[in-house]
Amino acid sequence: MSNLRRVLAALGAAVLSTAALSTITAAPASAIPRTNYCGSAYAFLKSWPILWRNQSGGYIDVYYNSSNGYNCAIARGNDNVLSSVWELQVGIRRSGGTWVMDGDKAGQNFTRYAGPVYVSAPNTCIDLYGSFEASGGGSGQIIESVHCG
């Protein structure tokens, strides 16, 4: 084999090996990516887990708009724990107030995320609600008195 053919064969093998490695080392499935559906004026604050069998089956993400005092919440599933999530639901309220809800509506299954939902709560705390149904069961969780301010 000529030197040129050996070099080309080695390069071809290197390209195939690199492609195989990138396939082998691809990241595993993870939580539905956190995406700000609230709007560009909203800054991410924190995620709270929706617990399922002592694991985070999903998350409630909270965003805040400091210019108008509004909070925003979004619920999303966690693919690392559950292979499929449907009927996601999210809620937000001024602590002790009336819930503003989204998701789990008749005829609509929210499978990627639910929300955004908004509440004006300057100088007070908010409560959050998140739930989902999945193969093997479902879960719902109320998280009280968060983001007080």
Side-chain angles (χ1 to χ4, degrees):
M1 194 185 264
S2 73
N3 284 340
L4 179 60
R5 283 189 180 171
R6 281 187 220 146
V7 169
L8 289 175
L11 284 173
V15 167
L16 289 175
S17 296
T18 303
L21 283 175
S22 66
T23 302
I24 292 170
T25 59
S30 60
I32 303 298
R34 186 179 70 234
T35 303
N36 182 356
Y37 295 106
C38 298
S40 61
Y42 287 81
F44 173 72
L45 291 177
K46 185 176 176 180
S47 291
W48 281 268
I50 305 170
L51 296 177
W52 185 76
R53 297 183 183 175
N54 297 320
Q55 299 179 67
S56 296
Y59 298 96
I60 306 167
D61 300 330
V62 176
Y63 296 80
Y64 182 67
N65 183 330
S66 61
S67 67
N68 66 11
Y70 272 78
N71 293 272
C72 174
I74 297 167
R76 59 191 168 93
N78 184 354
D79 289 344
N80 281 335
V81 175
L82 303 167
S83 60
S84 64
V85 172
W86 59 90
E87 294 183 10
L88 276 161
Q89 191 172 31
V90 66
I92 191 171
R93 69 180 179 185
R94 292 172 69 110
S95 287
T98 303
W99 288 105
V100 178
M101 304 291 288
D102 187 41
D104 193 21
K105 296 177 183 170
Q108 291 181 305
N109 289 333
F110 291 70
T111 60
R112 301 293 292 168
Y113 70 95
V117 288
Y118 302 88
V119 68
S120 176
N123 305 313
T124 188
C125 300
I126 60 171
D127 300 333
L128 304 171
Y129 174 77
S131 71
F132 61 84
E133 291 293 325
S135 55
S139 182
Q141 190 160 348
I142 294 175
I143 304 160
E144 296 180 308
S145 296
V146 299
H147 187 240
C148 301

